[in-house]
Amino acid sequence: MNDAAALRCIGRFAPSPTGPLHFGSLIAALASYADARARQGQWLLRIEDLDPPREHPGAAESFPRVLEYFGFTWDGPILRQSRRHDAYESALAQLAERGKVFPCACSRLDLESSATGIGGERVYPGTCRQGLLPGRSPRAWRMRVGNEPVDFVDRLQGAQQQVLARDVGDFVVKRADGFWGYQLAVVVDDAAQGVTDVVRGADLLASTPRQIWLQRELGLPQPHYLHVPVAINSDGEKLSKQTLARPLPMSDPLPVLINAWRFLDQAWQGEEFANVREFWEWAIPRWDVRRLPPVAMLTARTGKAGGL
Ligand code: GLU
């Protein structure tokens, strides 16, 4: 890649503060960091604090400290989605002006009998698409989707396609409780921050067509996508705050970092490092997307070194 192209590469890590960072978070952070830094790109940190009821006190504040401890350095200020209300509001207004969104009165209960689509979510049956039924009050805002396939090529998972009307239905961009939908916020912020390369866990692969749909409707550029395998435990569950994955330890970071590196099948011959800085100096030039396991899920190694 020539210098001009390398300079344009901007990656990011965008954790939600619904709990402490864990081994699964480290894999996503490591992959996006190594991928951007290997191309002399920038790496940004964004805290996706969009969902106060699900947030864990102190988690957002701990993220920079934990990432620093593992040797990550980010460019520019940390963006917090809780401060981005105006940007999301103006995106919603832009969509509303063109009739691309509509108010929806349906509750979760109303949608219970709808078919299940991609990722186990209900496919929106279109109840409020042509206007609210008499006597119903608006709760959420939904984005209108269409029947034309949305295609993209993931840098690891290959060609992907969804027909949003069939697989997802019109999706929420502003929730009934007044908070912003993840899909809208992520698209607005990736564009505002000039992100060129989204590298994240494959659990978000199924969200990407919705994000591409929004980018098209908002006239925003489409970044490149790379969805790395997510770590699952021996019960086959994704490591997450919900499955009570252990927080990253704040002592002895190297074995955990090396576990994350090896989880992604990167070159490894038992090297030893004095500190995390030495690890990164060695690792970044060796980052190789072609070595990544082209699967959505992999079992994490357990053990004392901090697998889970
Ligand atoms: N905030 C999301 C999460 O913690 C990640 C969003 C993204 O990388 O697009 O799962």
Side-chain angles (χ1 to χ4, degrees), residues 156-157 227-229 263-266 289 291-296 298:
L156 176 62
Q157 312 285 347
H227 287 87
V228 298
F263 175 87
L264 293 170
D265 260 357
Q266 297 299 293
V289 174
R291 294 186 69 111
L292 291 170
V295 294
L298 268 182

Side-chain angles (χ1 to χ4, degrees), residues 12 14-16 48 182 186 200 204:
R12 51 52 158 199
S16 304
E48 302 211 318
Y182 156 68
V186 83
R200 59 187 177 190
L204 292 167

Side-chain angles (χ1 to χ4, degrees), residues 274-308:
N275 51 45
V276 290
R277 201 169 53 86
E278 249 181 38
F279 166 80
W280 284 116
E281 275 167 15
W282 172 87
I284 287 168
R286 287 173 179 76
W287 171 252
D288 187 352
V289 174
R290 289 164 308 183
R291 294 186 69 111
L292 291 170
V295 294
M297 284 188 278
L298 268 182
T299 310
R301 288 147 22 96
T302 51
K304 248 187 148 317
L308 299 179

Side-chain angles (χ1 to χ4, degrees), residues 93-145:
Q94 194 183 324
L95 295 169
E97 235 164 67
R98 295 173 24 243
K100 301 288 182 182
V101 286
F102 62 89
C104 172
C106 299
S107 65
R108 200 159 290 200
L109 199 64
D110 292 327
L111 302 177
E112 234 172 25
S113 55
S114 309
T116 310
I118 295 277
E121 295 165 69
R122 301 282 174 197
V123 177
Y124 182 67
T127 321
C128 306
R129 203 167 209 256
Q130 313 304 339
L132 297 177
L133 297 172
R136 308 285 317 254
S137 350
R139 294 163 47 85
W141 284 89
R142 284 184 186 270
M143 179 74 198
R144 283 181 203 283
V145 299

Side-chain angles (χ1 to χ4, degrees), residues 40-302:
Q40 288 82 46
Q42 291 183 43
W43 190 69
L44 312 178
L45 178 57
R46 180 166 80 225
I47 297 188
E48 302 211 318
D49 48 355
L50 271 183
D51 193 355
R54 289 184 56 232
E55 278 155 30
H56 196 274
E61 293 66 35
S62 73
F63 290 173
R65 202 169 61 238
V66 176
L67 290 169
E68 253 167 27
Y69 188 71
F70 281 82
F72 293 92
T73 56
W74 52 92
D75 297 290
I78 300 173
L79 190 74
R80 291 192 66 149
Q81 290 194 321
S82 54
R83 319 256 156 88
R84 299 275 299 150
H85 177 84
D86 292 354
Y88 310 143
E89 192 66 64
S90 93
L92 182 67
Q94 194 183 324
L95 295 169
E97 235 164 67
R98 295 173 24 243
K100 301 288 182 182
V101 286
F102 62 89
C104 172
C106 299
S107 65
R108 200 159 290 200
L109 199 64
D110 292 327
L111 302 177
E112 234 172 25
S113 55
S114 309
T116 310
I118 295 277
E121 295 165 69
R122 301 282 174 197
V123 177
Y124 182 67
T127 321
C128 306
R129 203 167 209 256
Q130 313 304 339
L132 297 177
L133 297 172
R136 308 285 317 254
S137 350
R139 294 163 47 85
W141 284 89
R142 284 184 186 270
M143 179 74 198
R144 283 181 203 283
V145 299
N147 276 308
E148 52 277 39
V150 179
D151 296 285
F152 72 102
V153 179
D154 184 87
R155 290 170 56 203
L156 176 62
Q157 312 285 347
Q160 306 291 319
Q161 184 181 85
Q162 263 180 28
V163 173
L164 289 173
R166 178 194 67 201
D167 299 331
V168 181
D170 302 323
F171 59 90
V172 171
V173 286
K174 191 172 190 189
R175 297 167 16 176
D177 56 11
F179 296 117
W180 294 99
Y182 156 68
Q183 312 290 355
L184 180 74
V186 83
V187 160
V188 168
D189 288 342
D190 281 338
Q193 295 189 286
V195 170
T196 59
D197 288 81
V198 171
V199 179
R200 59 187 177 190
D203 51 324
L204 292 167
L205 190 61
S207 285
T208 307
R210 271 170 275 182
Q211 296 174 15
I212 292 173
W213 183 266
L214 278 168
Q215 286 151 4
R216 291 179 185 164
E217 294 293 356
L218 288 164
L220 300 173
Q222 181 179 325
H224 303 287
Y225 288 98
L226 166 58
H227 287 87
V228 298
V230 293
I232 52 173
N233 62 23
S234 48
D235 296 330
E237 300 165 324
K238 180 193 157 212
L239 299 194
S240 70
K241 290 128 192 172
Q242 289 73 35
T243 58
L244 303 180
R246 273 197 274 142
L248 288 171
M250 291 299 273
S251 61
D252 209 12
L254 271 169
V256 191
L257 210 44
I258 290 167
N259 260 357
W261 177 257
R262 294 182 63 194
F263 175 87
L264 293 170
D265 260 357
Q266 297 299 293
W268 172 253
Q269 293 185 335
E271 285 81 357
E272 287 186 12
F273 310 100
N275 51 45
V276 290
R277 201 169 53 86
E278 249 181 38
F279 166 80
W280 284 116
E281 275 167 15
W282 172 87
I284 287 168
R286 287 173 179 76
W287 171 252
D288 187 352
V289 174
R290 289 164 308 183
R291 294 186 69 111
L292 291 170
V295 294
M297 284 188 278
L298 268 182
T299 310
R301 288 147 22 96
T302 51

